[in-house]
Coordinates of all heavy atoms in Angstrom, one line a residue:
M1 N 0.8 -1.2 0.0 CA 0.0 0.0 0.0 C 0.9 1.2 0.0 O 2.0 1.2 0.5 CB -0.9 0.0 1.2 CG -2.0 -1.0 1.2 SD -3.2 -0.8 2.5 CE -2.3 -0.4 4.0
W2 N 0.4 2.3 -0.6 CA 1.1 3.5 -0.7 C 0.5 4.5 0.4 O -0.7 4.6 0.5 CB 0.9 4.2 -2.0 CG 1.7 3.5 -3.1 CD1 1.2 2.5 -3.9 CD2 3.0 3.7 -3.5 NE1 2.2 2.1 -4.7 CE2 3.4 2.8 -4.5 CE3 4.0 4.6 -3.0 CZ2 4.6 2.7 -5.1 CZ3 5.3 4.5 -3.6 CH2 5.5 3.6 -4.6
D3 N 1.3 5.2 1.0 CA 0.9 6.3 1.9 C 0.8 7.6 1.0 O 1.9 8.0 0.5 CB 1.9 6.6 3.0 CG 1.5 7.7 3.9 OD1 1.0 8.7 3.4 OD2 1.8 7.6 5.1
L4 N -0.4 8.0 0.7 CA -0.5 9.1 -0.3 C 0.1 10.4 0.2 O 0.6 11.2 -0.6 CB -2.0 9.3 -0.5 CG -2.7 8.2 -1.3 CD1 -4.2 8.5 -1.4 CD2 -2.1 8.0 -2.6
A5 N 0.1 10.6 1.5 CA 0.7 11.9 2.0 C 2.2 11.9 1.8 O 2.8 13.0 1.3 CB 0.4 12.0 3.5
S6 N 2.9 10.8 2.0 CA 4.4 10.8 1.9 C 4.8 10.3 0.5 O 6.0 10.5 0.1 CB 5.0 9.9 2.9 OG 4.7 8.6 2.7
G7 N 4.0 9.5 -0.2 CA 4.3 9.0 -1.5 C 5.2 7.7 -1.4 O 5.8 7.3 -2.3
K8 N 5.3 7.2 -0.1 CA 6.1 6.0 0.1 C 5.3 4.8 0.4 O 4.1 4.9 0.8 CB 7.0 6.3 1.3 CG 8.0 7.4 1.1 CD 8.9 7.6 2.3 CE 9.8 8.8 2.0 NZ 10.8 9.0 3.1
I9 N 5.9 3.6 0.2 CA 5.2 2.4 0.5 C 5.1 2.2 2.0 O 6.1 2.3 2.7 CB 6.0 1.2 -0.1 CG1 6.1 1.3 -1.7 CG2 5.4 -0.2 0.3 CD1 6.9 0.2 -2.3
S10 N 3.9 2.0 2.4 CA 3.6 1.8 3.9 C 3.4 0.3 4.2 O 3.6 -0.1 5.4 CB 2.4 2.6 4.3 OG 1.3 2.1 3.7
Q11 N 3.1 -0.5 3.2 CA 2.8 -1.9 3.5 C 3.0 -2.7 2.2 O 2.6 -2.2 1.1 CB 1.4 -2.1 4.0 CG 1.0 -3.6 4.3 CD 1.7 -4.1 5.5 OE1 2.8 -4.6 5.4 NE2 1.1 -4.0 6.6
S12 N 3.7 -3.8 2.3 CA 3.8 -4.7 1.1 C 3.6 -6.1 1.5 O 3.6 -6.5 2.7 CB 5.2 -4.5 0.5 OG 6.2 -5.0 1.4
I13 N 3.2 -6.9 0.5 CA 3.0 -8.4 0.7 C 4.2 -9.1 0.5 O 4.7 -9.2 -0.6 CB 1.8 -8.8 -0.2 CG1 0.5 -8.1 0.2 CG2 1.6 -10.3 -0.1 CD1 -0.6 -8.3 -0.7
K14 N 4.8 -9.7 1.5 CA 6.1 -10.3 1.5 C 6.0 -11.8 1.2 O 7.0 -12.4 0.7 CB 6.9 -10.0 2.7 CG 7.1 -8.6 3.0 CD 7.7 -8.3 4.4 CE 7.9 -6.9 4.6 NZ 6.7 -6.1 4.9
E15 N 4.9 -12.4 1.5 CA 4.8 -13.9 1.4 C 4.4 -14.3 0.0 O 4.3 -15.5 -0.3 CB 3.8 -14.4 2.4 CG 4.2 -14.1 3.8 CD 3.1 -14.5 4.7 OE1 2.4 -15.5 4.5 OE2 2.9 -13.9 5.8
Q16 N 4.2 -13.4 -1.0 CA 3.7 -13.8 -2.3 C 4.9 -14.3 -3.1 O 5.8 -13.5 -3.5 CB 3.1 -12.6 -3.0 CG 2.6 -12.8 -4.4 CD 1.4 -13.7 -4.5 OE1 0.7 -13.9 -3.5 NE2 1.2 -14.4 -5.6
T17 N 4.9 -15.6 -3.4 CA 6.0 -16.2 -4.2 C 5.6 -16.5 -5.6 O 6.4 -16.6 -6.5 CB 6.6 -17.4 -3.4 OG1 5.5 -18.3 -3.2 CG2 7.2 -17.0 -2.1
A18 N 4.3 -16.8 -5.8 CA 3.8 -17.2 -7.1 C 3.6 -15.9 -7.9 O 3.3 -14.9 -7.4 CB 2.5 -18.0 -7.0
K19 N 3.7 -16.1 -9.3 CA 3.4 -15.0 -10.2 C 1.9 -14.6 -10.1 O 1.1 -15.5 -10.3 CB 3.8 -15.4 -11.6 CG 3.4 -14.4 -12.6 CD 3.7 -14.8 -14.0 CE 3.3 -13.8 -15.0 NZ 3.5 -14.3 -16.4
A20 N 1.7 -13.4 -9.7 CA 0.3 -12.9 -9.7 C -0.1 -12.4 -11.1 O 0.6 -11.6 -11.7 CB 0.2 -11.8 -8.7
T21 N -1.1 -13.0 -11.6 CA -1.6 -12.6 -13.0 C -2.6 -11.5 -12.9 O -2.8 -10.8 -13.9 CB -2.2 -13.8 -13.7 OG1 -3.2 -14.4 -12.9 CG2 -1.1 -14.9 -13.9
N22 N -3.3 -11.3 -11.8 CA -4.3 -10.2 -11.6 C -4.5 -10.0 -10.1 O -4.4 -10.9 -9.4 CB -5.6 -10.7 -12.3 CG -6.6 -9.6 -12.4 OD1 -7.6 -9.6 -11.7 ND2 -6.4 -8.6 -13.3
V23 N -4.8 -8.8 -9.8 CA -5.0 -8.4 -8.4 C -6.2 -7.5 -8.3 O -6.4 -6.7 -9.2 CB -3.7 -7.7 -7.8 CG1 -4.0 -7.3 -6.4 CG2 -2.5 -8.6 -7.9
A24 N -7.0 -7.7 -7.2 CA -8.2 -6.9 -7.0 C -8.4 -6.6 -5.5 O -8.0 -7.4 -4.7 CB -9.4 -7.6 -7.6
A25 N -9.0 -5.4 -5.3 CA -9.4 -5.1 -3.9 C -10.6 -5.8 -3.6 O -11.5 -6.0 -4.4 CB -9.6 -3.6 -3.8
A26 N -10.7 -6.3 -2.4 CA -11.9 -7.0 -1.9 C -12.4 -6.3 -0.7 O -12.0 -6.6 0.4 CB -11.6 -8.5 -1.6
G27 N -13.2 -5.2 -0.9 CA -13.6 -4.4 0.2 C -12.4 -3.5 0.6 O -11.5 -3.3 -0.1
F28 N -12.5 -3.0 1.9 CA -11.5 -2.1 2.4 C -10.4 -2.9 3.2 O -9.4 -2.3 3.6 CB -12.1 -1.0 3.2 CG -12.9 -0.1 2.5 CD1 -14.3 -0.1 2.6 CD2 -12.4 0.9 1.6 CE1 -15.1 0.7 1.9 CE2 -13.1 1.7 0.9 CZ -14.5 1.7 1.0
K29 N -10.6 -4.2 3.4 CA -9.7 -4.9 4.3 C -8.8 -5.9 3.6 O -7.9 -6.4 4.2 CB -10.5 -5.6 5.3 CG -11.3 -4.7 6.2 CD -12.1 -5.6 7.2 CE -13.0 -4.7 8.1 NZ -13.8 -5.5 9.0
R30 N -9.2 -6.3 2.3 CA -8.5 -7.4 1.7 C -8.0 -7.1 0.3 O -8.6 -6.3 -0.4 CB -9.4 -8.6 1.7 CG -9.8 -9.1 3.0 CD -10.7 -10.3 2.8 NE -11.3 -10.7 4.1 CZ -12.5 -11.1 4.2 NH1 -13.4 -11.1 3.2 NH2 -12.9 -11.5 5.4
V31 N -7.1 -7.9 -0.2 CA -6.6 -7.9 -1.6 C -6.7 -9.3 -2.0 O -6.3 -10.3 -1.2 CB -5.2 -7.3 -1.7 CG1 -4.6 -7.6 -3.1 CG2 -5.2 -5.9 -1.4
V32 N -7.1 -9.6 -3.2 CA -7.2 -10.9 -3.8 C -6.3 -11.0 -5.0 O -6.3 -10.1 -5.8 CB -8.6 -11.2 -4.2 CG1 -8.8 -12.6 -4.7 CG2 -9.6 -11.0 -3.1
A33 N -5.5 -12.1 -5.1 CA -4.6 -12.3 -6.2 C -4.9 -13.6 -6.9 O -5.0 -14.6 -6.3 CB -3.1 -12.3 -5.7
A34 N -5.0 -13.5 -8.2 CA -5.1 -14.7 -9.1 C -3.6 -15.0 -9.4 O -2.8 -14.2 -9.8 CB -5.8 -14.3 -10.4
C35 N -3.3 -16.3 -9.3 CA -1.9 -16.7 -9.4 C -1.7 -17.8 -10.5 O -2.6 -18.7 -10.6 CB -1.3 -17.1 -8.1 SG -1.4 -15.8 -6.8
A36 N -0.5 -17.8 -11.1 CA -0.2 -18.8 -12.1 C 0.0 -20.2 -11.5 O 0.1 -21.2 -12.2 CB 1.0 -18.4 -12.9
D37 N 0.2 -20.3 -10.2 CA 0.4 -21.6 -9.5 C -0.9 -22.3 -9.1 O -0.9 -23.1 -8.3 CB 1.3 -21.4 -8.3 CG 0.6 -20.7 -7.1 OD1 -0.4 -20.1 -7.3 OD2 1.2 -20.7 -6.0
K38 N -2.0 -21.8 -9.8 CA -3.3 -22.4 -9.6 C -4.0 -22.0 -8.3 O -4.9 -22.7 -7.8 CB -3.2 -24.0 -9.7 CG -2.6 -24.5 -11.0 CD -2.5 -26.0 -10.9 CE -1.8 -26.5 -12.1 NZ -1.6 -28.0 -12.1
T39 N -3.6 -20.9 -7.7 CA -4.2 -20.5 -6.5 C -4.8 -19.1 -6.6 O -4.5 -18.3 -7.5 CB -3.2 -20.4 -5.3 OG1 -2.2 -19.5 -5.6 CG2 -2.6 -21.8 -5.0
I40 N -5.8 -18.9 -5.7 CA -6.3 -17.5 -5.5 C -5.9 -17.2 -4.0 O -6.3 -18.0 -3.1 CB -7.9 -17.5 -5.6 CG1 -8.2 -17.9 -7.0 CG2 -8.4 -16.2 -5.3 CD1 -9.7 -18.3 -7.2
R41 N -5.2 -16.2 -3.8 CA -4.7 -15.8 -2.5 C -5.4 -14.6 -2.0 O -5.6 -13.6 -2.7 CB -3.2 -15.6 -2.5 CG -2.5 -16.9 -2.9 CD -1.0 -16.6 -3.1 NE -0.4 -17.8 -3.8 CZ 0.5 -18.5 -3.2 NH1 1.0 -18.2 -2.0 NH2 1.0 -19.6 -3.8
I42 N -5.8 -14.7 -0.7 CA -6.5 -13.5 -0.1 C -5.7 -13.0 1.0 O -5.2 -13.8 1.9 CB -7.9 -14.0 0.4 CG1 -8.7 -14.6 -0.7 CG2 -8.6 -12.8 1.1 CD1 -10.0 -15.3 -0.3
W43 N -5.4 -11.7 1.0 CA -4.5 -11.0 1.9 C -5.2 -10.0 2.7 O -6.1 -9.3 2.3 CB -3.4 -10.3 1.1 CG -2.6 -11.2 0.2 CD1 -2.9 -11.5 -1.1 CD2 -1.4 -11.9 0.5 NE1 -2.0 -12.4 -1.6 CE2 -1.1 -12.6 -0.7 CE3 -0.7 -12.0 1.6 CZ2 0.0 -13.5 -0.7 CZ3 0.5 -12.9 1.6 CH2 0.8 -13.5 0.4
D44 N -4.7 -9.9 4.0 CA -5.2 -8.8 4.9 C -4.4 -7.6 4.6 O -3.1 -7.6 4.6 CB -5.0 -9.2 6.3 CG -5.4 -8.2 7.3 OD1 -6.6 -8.1 7.6 OD2 -4.6 -7.3 7.7
L45 N -5.1 -6.5 4.2 CA -4.4 -5.3 3.9 C -3.6 -4.6 5.0 O -2.5 -4.1 4.8 CB -5.3 -4.2 3.4 CG -5.7 -4.3 1.9 CD1 -6.8 -3.2 1.6 CD2 -4.5 -4.0 1.0
M46 N -4.1 -4.7 6.2 CA -3.4 -4.0 7.3 C -2.1 -4.7 7.8 O -1.1 -4.1 8.0 CB -4.3 -3.8 8.5 CG -5.5 -3.0 8.2 SD -5.2 -1.7 7.0 CE -5.1 -0.2 7.9
S47 N -2.2 -6.1 7.8 CA -1.0 -6.8 8.3 C -0.1 -7.3 7.2 O 1.1 -7.5 7.4 CB -1.5 -8.0 9.1 OG -2.1 -9.0 8.2
G48 N -0.7 -7.4 6.0 CA 0.1 -7.9 4.8 C 0.2 -9.4 4.8 O 1.0 -9.9 4.0
S49 N -0.5 -10.0 5.7 CA -0.4 -11.5 5.8 C -1.5 -12.2 5.0 O -2.6 -11.6 4.8 CB -0.4 -12.0 7.3 OG -1.7 -11.6 7.9
I50 N -1.2 -13.4 4.6 CA -2.2 -14.2 3.8 C -3.2 -14.7 4.8 O -2.9 -15.2 5.9 CB -1.5 -15.3 3.1 CG1 -2.5 -15.9 2.1 CG2 -0.9 -16.3 4.0 CD1 -1.8 -16.8 1.0
L51 N -4.5 -14.6 4.4 CA -5.6 -15.1 5.1 C -5.9 -16.6 4.7 O -6.2 -17.4 5.5 CB -6.8 -14.2 5.0 CG -6.7 -12.8 5.5 CD1 -7.9 -12.0 5.1 CD2 -6.5 -12.8 7.0
T52 N -5.9 -16.8 3.4 CA -6.2 -18.1 2.9 C -5.7 -18.2 1.4 O -5.5 -17.2 0.8 CB -7.7 -18.5 3.0 OG1 -7.8 -19.9 2.8 CG2 -8.5 -17.7 2.0
A53 N -5.6 -19.4 0.9 CA -5.3 -19.7 -0.5 C -6.2 -20.7 -1.0 O -6.4 -21.8 -0.3 CB -3.8 -20.1 -0.7
L54 N -6.9 -20.5 -2.0 CA -7.9 -21.4 -2.6 C -7.2 -22.0 -3.8 O -6.6 -21.3 -4.7 CB -9.1 -20.7 -3.1 CG -9.8 -19.8 -2.1 CD1 -10.9 -18.9 -2.7 CD2 -10.4 -20.7 -1.0
T55 N -7.2 -23.4 -4.0 CA -6.5 -24.0 -5.0 C -7.4 -24.6 -6.1 O -8.4 -25.2 -5.8 CB -5.6 -25.2 -4.4 OG1 -4.8 -24.7 -3.4 CG2 -4.8 -25.9 -5.5
L56 N -7.1 -24.2 -7.3 CA -7.8 -24.8 -8.5 C -7.0 -25.8 -9.2 O -5.8 -26.0 -8.8 CB -8.2 -23.6 -9.4 CG -9.1 -22.5 -8.8 CD1 -9.4 -21.4 -9.8 CD2 -10.3 -23.0 -8.2
D57 N -7.5 -26.4 -10.3 CA -6.8 -27.4 -11.0 C -6.0 -26.8 -12.2 O -5.2 -27.6 -12.9 CB -7.7 -28.5 -11.5 CG -8.8 -28.0 -12.4 OD1 -9.1 -26.8 -12.4 OD2 -9.4 -28.9 -13.0
V58 N -6.1 -25.5 -12.5 CA -5.4 -24.9 -13.6 C -5.0 -23.5 -13.2 O -5.6 -23.0 -12.2 CB -6.2 -24.8 -14.9 CG1 -6.4 -26.2 -15.5 CG2 -7.5 -24.1 -14.7
P59 N -4.0 -22.8 -13.8 CA -3.7 -21.5 -13.4 C -4.9 -20.5 -13.5 O -5.8 -20.7 -14.3 CB -2.6 -21.1 -14.5 CG -2.0 -22.4 -14.9 CD -3.2 -23.3 -14.9
V60 N -4.9 -19.5 -12.6 CA -5.9 -18.5 -12.5 C -5.4 -17.2 -13.1 O -4.4 -16.7 -12.8 CB -6.3 -18.3 -11.0 CG1 -7.5 -17.4 -10.9 CG2 -6.6 -19.6 -10.3
W61 N -6.2 -16.7 -14.1 CA -5.8 -15.5 -14.8 C -6.4 -14.2 -14.4 O -5.9 -13.1 -14.6 CB -6.0 -15.7 -16.3 CG -5.2 -16.8 -16.9 CD1 -5.6 -17.9 -17.6 CD2 -3.8 -17.0 -16.8 NE1 -4.6 -18.8 -17.9 CE2 -3.4 -18.2 -17.5 CE3 -2.7 -16.3 -16.2 CZ2 -2.1 -18.7 -17.6 CZ3 -1.4 -16.8 -16.3 CH2 -1.2 -18.0 -17.0
S62 N -7.6 -14.3 -13.9 CA -8.3 -13.0 -13.5 C -9.1 -13.2 -12.2 O -9.5 -14.3 -11.9 CB -9.2 -12.6 -14.6 OG -10.2 -13.5 -14.9
V63 N -9.3 -12.1 -11.5 CA -10.0 -12.1 -10.3 C -10.7 -10.8 -10.1 O -10.2 -9.7 -10.5 CB -9.1 -12.5 -9.1 CG1 -8.1 -11.4 -8.8 CG2 -9.8 -12.8 -7.9
A64 N -11.8 -10.8 -9.4 CA -12.6 -9.6 -9.1 C -13.3 -9.9 -7.8 O -13.5 -11.0 -7.4 CB -13.5 -9.2 -10.2
A65 N -13.8 -8.8 -7.1 CA -14.5 -9.0 -5.9 C -15.7 -8.0 -5.8 O -15.6 -6.9 -6.4 CB -13.6 -8.8 -4.7
T66 N -16.7 -8.3 -5.1 CA -17.8 -7.4 -4.9 C -17.3 -6.2 -4.0 O -16.3 -6.4 -3.3 CB -19.0 -8.0 -4.2 OG1 -18.6 -8.7 -3.0 CG2 -19.6 -9.0 -5.2
P67 N -17.9 -5.1 -4.0 CA -17.4 -4.0 -3.2 C -17.3 -4.3 -1.7 O -16.4 -3.8 -1.0 CB -18.4 -2.8 -3.5 CG -18.9 -3.1 -4.8 CD -19.0 -4.7 -4.9
D68 N -18.2 -5.1 -1.2 CA -18.1 -5.5 0.2 C -17.1 -6.6 0.5 O -16.8 -6.9 1.6 CB -19.5 -5.9 0.7 CG -20.1 -7.1 0.1 OD1 -19.4 -7.7 -0.7 OD2 -21.2 -7.4 0.4
G69 N -16.5 -7.2 -0.6 CA -15.4 -8.2 -0.4 C -16.0 -9.6 0.0 O -15.2 -10.5 0.3
K70 N -17.3 -9.8 -0.1 CA -17.8 -11.0 0.3 C -17.9 -12.1 -0.8 O -18.0 -13.3 -0.5 CB -19.2 -10.8 0.9 CG -19.2 -10.0 2.2 CD -20.5 -9.9 2.8 CE -20.4 -9.2 4.1 NZ -21.7 -9.0 4.8
I71 N -17.9 -11.7 -2.0 CA -17.9 -12.6 -3.1 C -16.7 -12.4 -4.0 O -16.5 -11.2 -4.4 CB -19.2 -12.6 -3.9 CG1 -20.4 -12.9 -3.0 CG2 -19.2 -13.5 -5.2 CD1 -21.7 -12.8 -3.6
I72 N -16.0 -13.4 -4.4 CA -14.9 -13.3 -5.3 C -15.2 -14.1 -6.6 O -15.8 -15.2 -6.5 CB -13.6 -13.9 -4.6 CG1 -13.2 -13.0 -3.5 CG2 -12.5 -14.0 -5.7 CD1 -12.1 -13.6 -2.7
V73 N -14.9 -13.6 -7.7 CA -15.1 -14.2 -9.0 C -13.7 -14.4 -9.6 O -12.9 -13.4 -9.7 CB -16.0 -13.4 -9.9 CG1 -16.2 -14.1 -11.2 CG2 -17.3 -13.1 -9.2
A74 N -13.4 -15.6 -10.1 CA -12.1 -15.8 -10.7 C -12.3 -16.5 -12.1 O -13.2 -17.4 -12.2 CB -11.3 -16.6 -9.8
G75 N -11.4 -16.2 -13.0 CA -11.4 -16.9 -14.3 C -10.1 -17.7 -14.5 O -9.1 -17.2 -14.1
D76 N -10.3 -18.9 -14.9 CA -9.1 -19.7 -15.0 C -8.7 -20.0 -16.5 O -9.3 -19.6 -17.4 CB -9.2 -21.1 -14.3 CG -10.2 -22.0 -14.9 OD1 -10.4 -22.0 -16.1 OD2 -10.7 -22.9 -14.1
E77 N -7.5 -20.6 -16.7 CA -6.9 -20.9 -18.0 C -7.9 -21.7 -18.9 O -7.8 -21.5 -20.1 CB -5.6 -21.6 -17.8 CG -4.8 -21.9 -19.0 CD -3.5 -22.5 -18.7 OE1 -3.5 -23.7 -18.4 OE2 -2.5 -21.8 -18.8
S78 N -8.7 -22.5 -18.3 CA -9.6 -23.4 -19.1 C -10.8 -22.6 -19.6 O -11.6 -23.2 -20.4 CB -10.0 -24.6 -18.4 OG -10.9 -24.3 -17.3
G79 N -11.0 -21.4 -19.1 CA -12.2 -20.6 -19.5 C -13.3 -20.7 -18.5 O -14.3 -20.0 -18.7
R80 N -13.2 -21.4 -17.5 CA -14.2 -21.5 -16.4 C -14.2 -20.2 -15.5 O -13.2 -19.6 -15.4 CB -14.0 -22.7 -15.5 CG -14.2 -24.0 -16.3 CD -14.0 -25.2 -15.4 NE -12.5 -25.2 -15.1 CZ -11.9 -26.0 -14.3 NH1 -12.6 -27.0 -13.7 NH2 -10.6 -26.0 -14.1
V81 N -15.4 -19.9 -15.0 CA -15.5 -18.8 -14.1 C -16.0 -19.4 -12.7 O -16.9 -20.2 -12.7 CB -16.6 -17.8 -14.6 CG1 -16.8 -16.7 -13.6 CG2 -16.1 -17.2 -15.9
H82 N -15.3 -19.1 -11.7 CA -15.6 -19.6 -10.3 C -16.1 -18.5 -9.4 O -15.6 -17.3 -9.5 CB -14.3 -20.2 -9.7 CG -13.6 -21.2 -10.6 ND1 -13.8 -22.5 -10.5 CD2 -12.7 -21.0 -11.6 CE1 -13.1 -23.2 -11.3 NE2 -12.4 -22.3 -12.0
F83 N -17.1 -18.8 -8.6 CA -17.6 -17.8 -7.6 C -17.3 -18.4 -6.2 O -17.6 -19.6 -6.0 CB -19.1 -17.7 -7.8 CG -19.5 -17.0 -9.1 CD1 -19.6 -17.8 -10.3 CD2 -19.7 -15.7 -9.2 CE1 -19.9 -17.2 -11.5 CE2 -20.1 -15.0 -10.4 CZ -20.1 -15.8 -11.5
F84 N -16.8 -17.6 -5.4 CA -16.5 -17.9 -4.0 C -17.2 -17.0 -3.1 O -17.1 -15.8 -3.2 CB -15.0 -17.9 -3.7 CG -14.2 -18.8 -4.6 CD1 -13.6 -18.4 -5.7 CD2 -14.1 -20.2 -4.2 CE1 -12.9 -19.3 -6.6 CE2 -13.3 -21.0 -5.0 CZ -12.8 -20.6 -6.2
D85 N -18.0 -17.5 -2.1 CA -18.7 -16.7 -1.1 C -17.9 -16.8 0.1 O -17.7 -17.8 0.7 CB -20.1 -17.3 -0.9 CG -21.0 -16.5 0.0 OD1 -20.5 -15.4 0.5 OD2 -22.1 -16.9 0.2
L86 N -17.3 -15.7 0.5 CA -16.4 -15.6 1.7 C -17.3 -15.3 2.9 O -18.0 -14.3 2.9 CB -15.4 -14.6 1.5 CG -14.4 -14.7 0.3 CD1 -13.4 -13.6 0.3 CD2 -13.8 -16.1 0.4
V87 N -17.2 -16.1 3.9 CA -18.0 -16.0 5.1 C -17.0 -15.5 6.2 O -16.0 -16.2 6.4 CB -18.7 -17.3 5.5 CG1 -19.4 -17.2 6.8 CG2 -19.6 -17.8 4.4
E88 N -17.4 -14.5 6.9 CA -16.6 -14.0 8.0 C -16.8 -14.9 9.2 O -17.9 -15.2 9.6 CB -17.0 -12.5 8.4 CG -16.7 -11.5 7.4 CD -15.3 -11.0 7.5 OE1 -14.6 -11.2 8.5 OE2 -14.7 -10.5 6.5
P89 N -15.7 -15.3 9.9 CA -15.9 -16.1 11.1 C -16.5 -15.2 12.2 O -16.3 -14.0 12.3 CB -14.5 -16.5 11.5 CG -13.6 -15.6 10.8 CD -14.4 -15.1 9.6
E90 N -17.4 -15.8 13.0 CA -18.0 -15.0 14.1 C -17.0 -14.8 15.2 O -16.2 -15.7 15.5 CB -19.2 -15.7 14.6 CG -20.3 -15.8 13.6 CD -21.6 -16.3 14.2 OE1 -21.8 -16.2 15.4 OE2 -22.4 -16.9 13.4
P91 N -17.0 -13.6 15.8 CA -16.0 -13.3 16.9 C -16.3 -14.1 18.2 O -17.3 -14.7 18.4 CB -16.2 -11.8 17.2 CG -17.4 -11.4 16.5 CD -17.8 -12.5 15.5

C-alpha cells in the first residue's frame, strides 16, 4: 500500500512467491490475487499476511470481488468462471 501523504510504500505483501496474474481489492480490508500456480490468495491489507489460499486445477488468470469483499469471482486458464462466497468467522 502507498501512503498518499508521503508517497512512500507503507505496506507490502512479502509472502507472495507465485506469479500474480491479476490483483483486485476485496472491500477495504483485503486484496485478492489470481496466481499462475493455480491459487487464489486472499491477503489482509493491514497486516500484509495471507488469510487463505484457494487451489484450483489450472492457473488462474483473472479475479474480481464485490465492493463489500464477500464474493470473489475468478477466471481460469480453461475458460471457467468460479464464484466464492467468503464468510466472516464470528467473533
